[in-house]
Amino acid sequence: MRRAVCPGSFDPVTNGHLDIIGRTTRLYDEVIVAVLVNESKKGLFTIEERLEMLREVIAPYPNARIESFRGLLVDFCRAQQATVVVKGLRAVSDFDYELQMAQMNMGLAGVETLFMPTNPQHSFLSSSLVKDVAKWGGDVSAHVPEVVAQRLAERFKASGR
Ligand code: PNS
């Protein structure tokens, strides 16, 4: 079975992430969307909330599933018997860091990284940008799935911004 991992923080998932996940499901038998649990970085959404949103938005892709992981991505890949990581590249600015991680992961465990160019529609998009716009009441509905737009609105309403 050809199995790929799409890793990330997904705080929250955007249409850019979803584009990469959906395209990867057409290339591999199984795609594992892997959410990093990073105790040292407090996100806007809890891991459980991120997983819930992801579960909902990947429902149309029967060969995708969601997992969370701690520690090294290569250890997660090994445990899942996945040899390929697929990452989206939005712009040249993504490349330096992504290349470092890809080369480290190859050296650590022989895990391959494949870079997939982001759909130009989403090339400026990031979870951070979406959170910043939503925080100040901006409309992010073109950039995130509906469930995410709703959760962002609820979260910022509850916090009074
Ligand atoms: O969505 P992000 O925050 O850009 O995702 C980054 C992620 C989760 C893919 C990366 O930080 C990662 O793989 N973290 C796991 C820890 C690890 O393996 N670090 C060494 C990378 S060479």
Side-chain angles (χ1 to χ4, degrees):
M1 159 148 350
R2 294 173 315 135
R3 187 177 285 139
V5 172
C6 289
S9 302
F10 301 105
D11 184 36
V13 60
T14 68
N15 289 346
H17 293 126
L18 209 47
D19 170 59
I20 298 295
I21 294 166
R23 287 160 61 198
T24 305
T25 63
R26 297 202 285 272
L27 300 174
Y28 288 89
D29 300 318
E30 186 176 45
V31 175
I32 305 171
V33 181
V35 183
L36 175 68
V37 180
N38 184 353
E39 271 96 2
S40 61
K41 195 169 159 199
K42 195 182 173 318
L44 177 65
F45 293 104
T46 66
I47 295 298
E48 199 39 58
E49 289 169 328
R50 296 179 212 182
L51 296 174
E52 279 167 17
M53 288 184 271
L54 275 165
R55 248 177 237 123
E56 192 169 327
V57 300
I58 66 142
Y61 306 106
N63 61 333
R65 63 184 165 93
I66 312 289
E67 299 283 345
S68 61
F69 74 104
R70 287 183 162 76
L72 289 178
L73 178 60
V74 291
D75 290 337
F76 174 79
C77 290
R78 194 181 292 127
Q80 298 288 331
Q81 295 176 313
T83 52
V84 178
V85 169
V86 176
K87 302 291 287 289
L89 274 192
R90 290 167 295 192
V92 176
S93 50
D94 280 342
F95 184 71
D96 278 352
Y97 186 50
E98 291 295 342
L99 180 66
Q100 285 178 350
M101 286 197 287
Q103 290 173 331
M104 179 61 87
N105 287 337
M106 170 55 82
L108 283 171
V111 170
E112 291 283 6
T113 299
L114 297 187
F115 294 130
M116 183 177 277
T118 298
N119 181 326
Q121 244 185 308
H122 308 305
S123 60
F124 60 92
L125 206 52
S126 70
S127 297
S128 309
L129 199 57
V130 160
K131 284 183 281 193
D132 199 31
V133 172
K135 179 176 172 182
W136 300 109
D139 180 8
V140 292
S141 57
H143 307 303
V144 293
E146 198 180 329
V147 59
V148 174
Q150 279 168 9
R151 293 259 191 150
L152 283 164
E154 282 161 20
R155 181 56 42 95
F156 288 121
K157 200 167 141 196
S159 73
R161 292 188 178 111

